[in-house]
Structures are given as structure tokens and as C-alpha cells.
Amino acid sequence: MAYDYPTEKLAIYLSDDAGSDFTFYALIEASNFAKHWLPFCTKFMVEPRSPEAYFSLHSALHHRSQEWTHMKKLFDEMKERVSSVVEMGKVPKEIRDQYKGFSEWDNGLTKQNHQSIVKIIIDGKNHDDVDIDGCVLPKLVYMAREKRPQHPHHFKAGAMNALIRVSSEISNAPFILNLDCDMYSNNPDTMKECLCFFLDGKSSHDIAFVQFPQYFNNITKNMIYGIPDQVINEIELAGMGGYVAALYCGTGCFHRREALNGKKYVEDLNGSVHLDVQTKKKVSKPVNELEEACKLLVDCKFENGSQWGKEMGLIYGCAVEDIITGLAIQCRGWRSVYYNPKKKAFLGVAPFSLGAALVQYKRWSEGMFQVFLSKYCPFIYGHGKIKFGAQMGYCVYLLWAPLSIPMLYYATIPALCLLQGIPLFPKVTSVWAIPFAYVFVTKNCWSIIEAISCGYTLKAWWNLQRMLLFRRTTAFFFSFIDTVIKQLGFSQTKFAVTAKVAAEDESKRYEQEIIEFGSSDIMCTMIATLAILNLFGLLLGIKNVAAWNLELVSKGLNKFILQTVVCGLIVLINLPTYEALFIRRDKGRLPFSALFKSVTLALLACVIYII
């Protein structure tokens, strides 16, 4: 709402799939606070304009004034009122009586079973819809689409499509910003910058969306979980943008409404543009009529027999609805832009624990592999529609899941063969060892150069290598298995939500860059098992090789030096894992059950392989 942009041209929509009266109440409180906050931002050129982010900055302390103190007090009081209502467990009667919208919750709703709710909190036409300076506030709309247990709701894609329809009825703006609830705008001029791409008369007519990279405000210096991957943000995704086929990443993206609605972009030989559907003009209606009309657009049966989720809006049936939707839009003739300004446009919240980070990557890799195996495979669906380089760029990410197979091989077989004294690589003195050494050294040197050029520290690069190992041997592997099972028809797509809220002690360990294991789930157990297996392989393998070649130790080690390097690097990269297994006593350590299972599984693998 506080963008540096004409407020009468802004409309903000909040989608609350849970249909919570607490969220509705919090939005009302936020709208009242905005009457004070927006003039404050304009007067003092406040940045960032998210009050939570602004007041948490140390720099804000240097600008304390009577206005600053008053605004901070208003913000704290607003948060306190919302928190007290949540702790109370219900919205008080005096508040419910004050706002007619609370009548929607009179029948008792649940997250998965509630009717359509659309409430225009700020319309911009009433005398109360102004700030304390008398300026019109942006439109503000609360929406909870109907959800019933017997009807599929299509997760985030369904919520986005419902928002598209509701916004088309109320404001019908030509451009849409799609932003996740855990992100905020870090630059009040982002709207103006983005419109430069859409409104450039010479080369903007075929731009469907402008994608900004994902960055986070809670990142530690050395990026303990490898998030964000700066190399992906600054090199790989920028390369995709060079093919005018930037990936749609699901948040921080400005869309052209007509492209998102399924229209095709066609340009004839004379350079004239033709769109297959004509834009519908919005007819002004009273607020009550608008709300009732919008409810019909977001009930469970509205999409039945329509093209929503197929040719219109975000595409259904995939956990990464953003990637598949962006590809479909590009294949309809539109271009997309990747824009990474020096001043970050949006900031979000990165996962605080290893488990949350892995769950996020599991969902992404599983959804992307589903795309590769579907009719939307870029080499098939995009053939002749987008450039071959863009098709290959898509597949760099769509093939994350099967990448787990070679990584698992290198994380298990060298260690097991070292135990048996079976060499896998040429002798280090052999000319045939040169290709192996060349690939290893060149790949890692280039990786370090890329990382440092993108602002990484060496420790951050090392943390990223650890996370690549963890992701590929757990999240990617299990997503590969789950995708194969789904392709065989034995299960259906599920949407796993990533936890972004941390306990106080967990948050403290995150700031100290201590990995938060704290679980004995299958992925953490897998990490611990591979760590123990390689430790066995390194220690016992070297001992056995030396014993078997007692008289010719140097010749024996000559055969196994490359193999030993592989195991040694995996052991080094897993030092935090051993610490979590054997040394740490905080809640973020790996529990004894994980230690027992990992040692048992590692020993079992050794016994089976040796036998």
C-alpha cells in the first residue's frame, strides 16, 4: 500500500485460504494503521516501507523524533491488539459488531470447509477511505475462496486463479504483482521501474511478465543453508533472461493480465499485434453487489468445465505451478524479463532449519521433474516455440531429481569399495587419472570463481557444497522416488508448506550459523547414514589397504588415492553432522534414535556389500 505510486491506481488483494477471522481482523487493523503510516512514509521518505522491517533496522534509531516515536507506538499497539485477540482465541463481540464482515464467521468455519468470502475493506470511494492527510488510500480486499473436502482446491495455483478473477471484477488493472505472504517490498520505486518494461512503446508489447529474484532478510554471512544461491540468481537465471525466457518463480513477479489470462501473442508480417481475446471493460458497481458477484467467481464449482487451470491462469496438477505456467505463457508467443536491480526489490524469510530447507527443495525438485515427464517437457512442448538454449535452461532445474542418482553413487560406492580394497579409479600415476583430476579441479575452481564474483565468502561456498550434497542425496532422491510412484498412479500430488517461523533458541543457533538438525526423520537419517558410511570407508579402508599391501604400501595407496580423496571430502563436508551426532547437546542436535539408525544402516550396508 505504501509504494511510491498514485494510490488511486493501486489495489491490494489478500488471499486467505484458511478463511480465518483472525487474518481478517489483522487486515482491518493494518488498514487503520495505514492511514498514519502512508503519510509518514511520504513525509520522511521511509525505506523500507514495511513497518516491521523499518523499525527493526538499527539505522532507524538515529532518526528518532516525536513523529518516529508516535508511529512506533501506533505500530506496537496494533501488533499488541492483534496478538491479544489471537491469544484470546476469538474476536471479541464489540469488534465483530463494529465491522459487518465478521458475520461470515457466524456459522463456524474450518480451514478445509468454508464458503466464499470477499470483503472490500477499503473501496477508495467512501469518506473514511482516506489517510490522516486526506489522501485516498489504495483499494484493500480480503478474499477466502470456497473450500470443501470433496472438491480439489489446487493449492497455490487455485488461490492465484481465484485472485485473478476477483481482481478482474473489482479493479481489472492491466498489471498484477504476485507476492508471497512471507515477503515484503524493499524498494518503494519497484512499481515504476517495472512499468518501464511494460510501457516501452518500441519493445514492450510482447512482454508477459517481469521476474525479480528471491532474496531474504534473515541470511547469515556465510549462508549456512546455501540460500539464496547467488550463482543461480545472478548468473543462471540472468542467462535464461538472455533468451527472453525468464523463469516464473511464483513470487516477486509482475504479470500482464491478458497474458496470464491465457491470451496468445501473435504478430503478423506487417508488425501488427493480434490478441485472441478482447479486453473486457470493467463496469462500476456498488460495494455490496461487487462482493456478492465476486463470491460466485471463487466458489468450488465455478471452474467446472472451464479452461481455468488449463489454458487460463496458473496451470493445475503440478507442485511447481509457477514454472509450468511461465513455460506455457512463453509458448503462446510472449516474452519474459528477468530483472535483478542492485537495490533488492523484495525480501523474504529463508528457512531456519535444515529440515525446512530440504522440504522446500523436495517440493521444488519433485514438481519440476513432473513437468519434465509431462506433456509440458520443454523439448516437446516448447519445440519451435522457444529457443533451444531456453529449453536446455529449463531442464537444468527440471532434472534436479534424477541428479540424485549419480550423487548417491559417489556418496556410497567409493566408501564400500574402499572397505573391500576394490579400486574404482585409475592409479594416480597413470595418464588415465588426468581426465578425472582435470574435471574435478576445473569444476571446483570455476565454481569458486563464480561464487566469489557473486559475493560469496569461501566459507559460504563450502556451505553451499555441503547443502548440494544434502539436497541431492535426500530431497532430490526422495522426490525422484515419489515422482516415479506418482507416474505409476499409486499416489497424488501433495503440497508441502515450508515452515518459516523459528523458536527463540532455534533462531539464536541460526544466527550463530549452527546447523539445525533436531530431527530423526528420513532425510536427516539419510544424511547421518551416508556420513557414518564414508567415515567407516575412510578409516577402515585405509587401514585395510595398508595391511593388505604391507610391503608395498605406496603402490597400494597409489591405486586408491582418488577414491580416498572422494571419501575424505565427504567426511570433511560432514563435520557438522558428526558434531550433531556425537558432541552437541542442544535441541538442534541429531537425536539418539538418528544415531542408532544411521550406525545400524551403515554397518548393514558394509556387511551386505562385503558378503
Side-chain angles (χ1 to χ4, degrees), residues 501-570:
V501 179
E504 185 177 348
D505 58 338
E506 185 178 341
S507 180
K508 186 176 180 180
R509 287 191 292 272
Y510 177 76
E511 291 173 1
Q512 295 172 344
E513 297 195 330
I514 299 173
I515 294 180
E516 188 75 20
F517 290 92
S519 172
S520 60
D521 65 14
I522 190 168
M523 285 199 276
C524 284
T525 301
M526 185 84 159
I527 290 170
T529 301
L530 294 175
I532 295 293
L533 178 63
N534 278 275
L535 186 62
F536 287 167
L538 184 66
L539 299 179
L540 298 179
I542 291 176
K543 177 180 177 295
N544 289 340
V545 168
W548 293 335
N549 299 274
L550 193 55
E551 296 180 358
L552 300 169
V553 174
S554 61
K555 290 185 179 179
L557 290 177
N558 186 23
K559 291 193 221 177
F560 296 96
I561 191 67
L562 295 179
Q563 212 161 322
T564 304
V565 166
V566 171
C567 287
L569 285 173
I570 294 177

Side-chain angles (χ1 to χ4, degrees), residues 454-482:
C454 293
Y456 275 88
T457 62
L458 279 175
K459 187 174 181 180
W461 174 83
W462 182 249
N463 288 338
L464 178 60
Q465 305 315 301
R466 179 185 301 114
M467 283 306 301
L468 289 175
L469 174 67
F470 288 177
R471 291 173 198 163
R472 290 170 181 174
T473 55
T474 57
F476 291 3
F477 176 66
F478 292 117
S479 64
F480 177 77
I481 298 299
D482 286 351

Side-chain angles (χ1 to χ4, degrees), residues 40-271:
F40 178 76
C41 290
T42 303
K43 181 178 180 180
F44 296 101
M45 302 300 291
V46 166
E47 290 189 36
R49 295 193 176 181
S50 162
E52 185 71 40
Y54 172 72
F55 287 122
S56 65
L57 290 177
H58 295 295
S59 60
L61 298 177
H62 301 299
H63 301 285
R64 282 193 171 182
S65 61
Q66 186 176 353
E67 292 93 339
W68 189 97
T69 304
H70 176 64
M71 193 57 57
K72 181 71 164 61
K73 181 182 177 183
L74 289 177
F75 182 59
D76 290 339
E77 288 174 349
M78 180 197 71
K79 290 200 298 181
E80 178 60 31
R81 287 194 296 272
V82 173
S83 297
S84 63
V85 167
V86 174
E87 289 174 6
M88 192 185 306
K90 64 178 181 178
V91 179
K93 185 177 185 302
E94 57 270 22
I95 296 176
R96 295 173 66 91
D97 292 342
Q98 187 178 357
Y99 301 99
K100 63 177 182 178
F102 283 104
S103 60
E104 297 282 357
W105 283 269
D106 288 343
N107 297 325
L109 312 180
T110 64
K111 292 181 179 181
Q112 300 298 329
N113 193 2
H114 60 78
Q115 77 277 13
S116 304
I117 304 173
V118 178
K119 292 296 171 184
I120 301 175
I121 297 174
I122 298 177
D123 182 41
K125 297 177 182 178
N126 301 325
H127 69 278
D128 291 333
D129 296 341
V130 295
D131 61 30
I132 58 174
D133 288 347
C135 298
V136 177
L137 291 167
K139 280 186 174 64
L140 185 62
V141 181
Y142 171 91
M143 184 204 81
R145 61 190 172 124
E146 182 183 18
K147 292 178 77 175
R148 304 297 180 190
Q150 65 272 24
H151 290 277
H153 60 273
H154 304 296
F155 313 111
K156 182 179 175 180
M160 276 288 295
N161 286 345
L163 279 173
I164 293 169
R165 294 194 295 271
V166 167
S167 65
S168 68
E169 184 70 21
I170 296 174
S171 56
N172 201 32
F175 305 111
I176 301 170
L177 166 62
N178 158 216
L179 200 64
D180 283 352
C181 63
D182 61 349
M183 303 193 79
Y184 67 87
S185 176
N186 187 55
N187 182 359
D189 294 321
T190 296
M191 192 82 72
K192 295 177 180 177
E193 293 179 11
C194 188
L195 287 178
C196 291
F197 292 101
F198 288 118
L199 301 181
D200 177 4
K202 293 182 179 179
S203 59
S204 66
H205 46 272
D206 59 346
I207 292 177
F209 60 86
V210 178
Q211 176 66 59
F212 290 79
Q214 292 191 51
Y215 287 102
F216 309 93
N217 67 347
N218 63 328
I219 295 301
T220 59
K221 177 183 177 182
N222 296 305
M223 304 178 193
I224 188 171
Y225 297 124
I227 300 173
D229 192 326
Q230 301 278 73
V231 174
I232 289 180
N233 279 350
E234 298 189 21
I235 297 177
E236 294 183 10
L237 293 181
M240 286 290 290
Y243 286 105
V244 292
L247 273 64
Y248 169 34
C249 299
T251 182
C253 189
F254 285 85
H255 296 270
R256 189 188 296 268
R257 182 184 292 273
E258 56 191 3
L260 202 54
N261 276 344
K263 296 179 181 179
K264 294 180 181 178
Y265 178 86
V266 181
E267 188 172 345
D268 62 20
L269 295 176
N270 297 321

Side-chain angles (χ1 to χ4, degrees), residues 252-489:
C253 189
F254 285 85
H255 296 270
R256 189 188 296 268
R257 182 184 292 273
E258 56 191 3
L260 202 54
N261 276 344
K263 296 179 181 179
K264 294 180 181 178
Y265 178 86
V266 181
E267 188 172 345
D268 62 20
L269 295 176
N270 297 321
S272 300
V273 176
H274 302 280
L275 298 173
D276 62 342
V277 183
Q278 295 298 317
T279 303
K280 181 180 68 174
K281 291 185 178 180
K282 184 179 74 70
V283 179
S284 180
K285 298 179 182 177
V287 170
N288 290 339
E289 289 185 22
L290 265 180
E291 290 177 345
E292 292 304 316
C294 289
K295 287 181 182 180
L296 299 176
L297 300 177
V298 293
D299 67 23
C300 288
K301 297 179 181 178
F302 179 83
E303 293 181 350
N304 292 350
S306 73
Q307 291 299 308
W308 283 100
K310 300 173 185 176
E311 296 296 327
M312 297 179 66
L314 274 70
I315 294 174
Y316 296 156
C318 180
V320 287
E321 68 291 317
D322 40 20
I323 295 290
I324 198 171
T325 299
L327 175 62
I329 288 173
Q330 290 157 5
C331 289
R332 290 198 289 265
W334 296 93
R335 292 189 301 150
S336 58
V337 174
Y338 180 75
Y339 182 42
N340 186 8
K342 289 184 179 180
K343 185 173 185 178
K344 308 308 178 190
F346 306 101
L347 293 176
V349 180
F352 283 87
S353 69
L354 177 63
L358 293 178
V359 166
Q360 190 174 60
Y361 273 93
K362 181 181 181 297
R363 175 168 63 84
W364 288 344
S365 57
E366 183 175 335
M368 288 189 288
F369 192 40
Q370 287 177 20
V371 174
F372 184 80
L373 297 177
S374 72
K375 70 174 184 178
Y376 292 100
C377 175
F379 292 125
I380 301 172
Y381 188 73
H383 179 68
K385 299 174 184 176
I386 60 175
K387 296 178 180 179
F388 182 69
Q391 297 172 30
M392 294 182 67
Y394 266 102
C395 290
V396 167
Y397 306 103
L398 302 188
L399 294 174
W400 269 358
L403 189 63
S404 61
I405 303 303
M407 180 58 78
L408 271 173
Y409 173 88
Y410 278 104
T412 54
I413 301 303
L416 291 171
C417 288
L418 201 57
L419 284 170
Q420 275 287 72
I422 302 173
L424 291 177
F425 302 102
K427 294 180 181 180
V428 72
T429 55
S430 169
V431 70
W432 295 107
I434 295 176
F436 291 91
Y438 172 79
V439 169
F440 175 81
V441 172
T442 305
K443 183 266 178 190
N444 284 285
C445 286
W446 185 252
S447 175
I448 292 172
I449 292 170
E450 279 188 332
I452 291 176
S453 69
C454 293
Y456 275 88
T457 62
L458 279 175
K459 187 174 181 180
W461 174 83
W462 182 249
N463 288 338
L464 178 60
Q465 305 315 301
R466 179 185 301 114
M467 283 306 301
L468 289 175
L469 174 67
F470 288 177
R471 291 173 198 163
R472 290 170 181 174
T473 55
T474 57
F476 291 3
F477 176 66
F478 292 117
S479 64
F480 177 77
I481 298 299
D482 286 351
T483 303
V484 171
I485 292 173
K486 287 183 177 70
Q487 291 296 315
L488 296 175

